[in-house]
């Protein structure tokens, strides 16, 4: 039995190209209640009166970029899942969308209709499951156990003590220079936030971050790096649902704000497990044949116990 208009999910598509909006109408008119806007301004006016479950926006539009739109839309309709369509690699724009728009997925143009359909379906499902639990502006209640720790994964041994100095004595910061050391800390300590470079010992961390998010969804990841590229940033959001992106050299106030926010997000996820649906990740590619050590590390991640009940 098909859903009625009253129960259908509401999806807003924003693009300045009429042919794209026409394509979206054809693809999704039988699935959802659809709304369309040809630019950021008209989309925001619509959102003032029409709350939606999912917003799908192009990035490159005249007057207002997709990231600017999604940032403003987050204020008007914070529960909506946000998807960005992008046909070019602009690292600053991608970092902005992570830090300010909290994007659920990036979808590269030209897209596959099958992949786009599946992505929007996942976003709709996440929106429906988490609307009651999602309270982005709420302050989590303090738990009775130990404050969750912050794990810093970086080749540079000076980074963890620097972050400890920035955060102050109220925070417990653990340093790791290899992914194996990082997993060891996660096995022993109640970690709430992982701060990591995009590569450690010249190995990308996306598989580790993604596997952590799959098996410990309450963990919140922040990427700290000076050598990011647009492709790795997109992989980290789609496969790892990273929460914030900080560029080196470290700016003290930016770092402290990001980590404080990440810890509050960790507590929200720990207290309301349904919220984890909003941060589902794509399955990361399997390690290359012969990468026995990498596969063994990911298997250890899958067996990590949750520390949530110890401090919530």
């Amino acid at each position: 039995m098909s859903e009625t208009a009253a129960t259908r999910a509401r999806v807003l598509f924003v693009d300045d190209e009429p042919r794209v909006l026409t394509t979206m109408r054809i693809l999704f008119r039988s699935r959802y209640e659809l709304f369309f806007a040809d630019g950021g301004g008209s989309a925001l006016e619509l959102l003032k009166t029409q709350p939606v479950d999912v917003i799908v926006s192009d990035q490159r539009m005249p007057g207002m970029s997709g990231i600017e739109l999604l940032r403003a839309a987050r204020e008007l309709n914070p529960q909506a899942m946000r998807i960005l369509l992008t046909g070019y690699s602009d690292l600053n724009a991608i970092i902005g969308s992570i830090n300010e728009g909290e994007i659920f997925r990036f979808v590269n143009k030209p897209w596959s209709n099958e992949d786009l359909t599946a992505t929007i379906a996942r976003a709709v499902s996440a929106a429906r499951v988490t609307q009651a639990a999602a309270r982005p502006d709420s302050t989590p209640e303090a738990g009775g156990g130990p404050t969750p720790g912050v794990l810093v994964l970086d080749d540079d041994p000076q980074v963890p003590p620097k972050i400890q100095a920035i955060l102050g004595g109220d925070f417990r910061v653990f340093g790791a220079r290899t992914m194996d050391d990082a997993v060891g800390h996660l096995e022993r300590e109640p970690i709430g936030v992982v701060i990591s470079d995009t590569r450690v010992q010249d190995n990308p961390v996306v598989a580790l971050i993604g596997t952590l998010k799959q098996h410990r969804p309450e963990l919140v990841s922040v990427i700290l790096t000076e050598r990011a590229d647009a492709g790795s940033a997109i992989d980290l959001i789609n496969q790892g649902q990273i929460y914030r992106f900080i560029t080196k050299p470290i700016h003290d106030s930016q770092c402290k704000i990001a980590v404080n926010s990440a810890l509050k997000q960790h507590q929200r996820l720990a207290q309301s497990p349904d919220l984890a649906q909003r941060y589902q990740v794509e399955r990361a590619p399997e390690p290359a044949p012969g990468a026995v050590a990498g596969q063994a590390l990911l298997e250890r991640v899958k067996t990590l116990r949750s520390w949530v009940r110890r401090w919530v």
Side-chain angles (χ1 to χ4, degrees):
M1 182 180 296
S2 62
E3 292 182 298
T4 66
T7 60
R8 280 185 177 184
R10 298 157 66 87
V11 181
L12 168 62
F13 293 97
V14 188
D15 202 300
D16 62 307
E17 296 185 44
R19 64 178 182 81
V20 172
L21 297 181
T22 298
T23 298
M24 298 302 186
R25 186 187 302 274
I26 294 170
L27 279 175
F28 297 106
R29 63 188 173 189
S30 64
R31 300 170 183 263
Y32 310 118
E33 184 178 357
L34 304 181
F35 300 86
F36 301 95
D38 60 4
S42 55
L44 292 177
E45 287 302 311
L46 185 147
L47 287 171
K48 291 177 182 178
T49 60
Q50 299 287 351
V52 299
D53 297 294
V54 177
I55 304 169
V56 183
S57 175
D58 188 24
Q59 163 58 11
R60 256 188 169 168
M61 299 183 293
M64 182 184 296
S65 69
I67 287 165
E68 292 170 330
L69 163 62
L70 294 177
R71 181 193 308 139
R74 185 182 169 209
E75 299 298 320
L76 289 172
N77 197 168
Q79 311 300 350
M81 306 299 293
R82 293 170 287 276
I83 297 172
L84 189 70
L85 303 177
T86 178
Y88 71 113
S89 296
D90 182 338
L91 180 60
N92 289 333
I94 291 168
I95 290 174
S97 69
I98 293 169
N99 288 348
E100 301 170 35
E102 291 193 8
I103 304 300
F104 178 66
R105 289 288 188 275
F106 291 99
V107 176
N108 286 321
K109 287 183 170 182
W111 63 79
S112 154
N113 287 344
E114 182 179 355
D115 289 345
L116 180 62
T117 299
T119 296
I120 293 178
R122 283 193 290 269
V124 164
S125 176
R128 288 294 179 89
V129 167
T130 62
Q131 278 167 356
R135 295 178 299 157
D137 297 324
S138 64
T139 301
E141 299 177 3
T147 301
V150 176
L151 173 63
V152 180
L153 175 57
D154 198 293
D155 290 343
D156 186 348
Q158 297 181 4
V159 172
K162 179 174 178 59
I163 291 178
Q164 178 73 79
I166 291 171
L167 297 179
D170 291 338
F171 294 82
R172 300 164 65 241
V173 175
F174 303 89
R177 297 180 63 183
T178 69
M179 286 188 270
D180 186 73
D181 288 343
V183 174
H185 281 299
L186 289 163
E187 289 170 335
R188 298 187 299 271
E189 303 290 346
I191 301 295
V193 174
V194 176
I195 303 175
S196 175
D197 202 331
T198 56
R199 301 183 71 87
V200 175
Q201 303 292 320
D202 205 32
N203 294 308
V205 301
V206 62
L208 174 64
I209 297 296
T211 305
L212 282 172
K213 199 62 179 174
Q214 285 179 353
H215 297 277
R216 289 280 302 280
E218 76 279 2
L219 278 175
V220 176
S221 298
V222 175
I223 292 299
L224 172 68
T225 188
E226 60 186 355
R227 56 178 184 268
D229 62 77
S232 66
I234 288 174
D235 287 343
L236 283 162
I237 189 65
N238 286 352
Q239 297 176 22
Q241 277 292 298
I242 59 172
Y243 183 68
R244 290 291 184 270
F245 207 115
I246 303 175
T247 53
K248 294 180 179 178
I250 302 171
H251 189 282
D252 290 13
S253 61
Q254 181 193 26
C255 178
K256 192 162 189 175
I257 290 169
V259 176
N260 271 311
S261 179
L263 279 168
K264 289 180 181 178
Q265 176 72 352
H266 167 65
Q267 291 174 321
R268 276 192 287 267
L269 291 171
Q271 293 172 355
S272 301
D274 283 348
L275 279 178
Q277 294 284 332
R278 294 184 68 86
Y279 305 97
Q280 290 178 333
V281 296
E282 291 180 355
R283 182 175 294 276
E286 293 295 325
V292 178
Q295 184 62 53
L297 189 71
L298 297 183
E299 290 300 322
R300 283 173 63 194
V301 170
K302 295 175 184 179
T303 64
L304 287 173
R305 58 178 172 169
S306 174
W307 294 85
V308 169
R309 293 179 182 175
R310 296 188 172 213
W311 62 268
V312 169

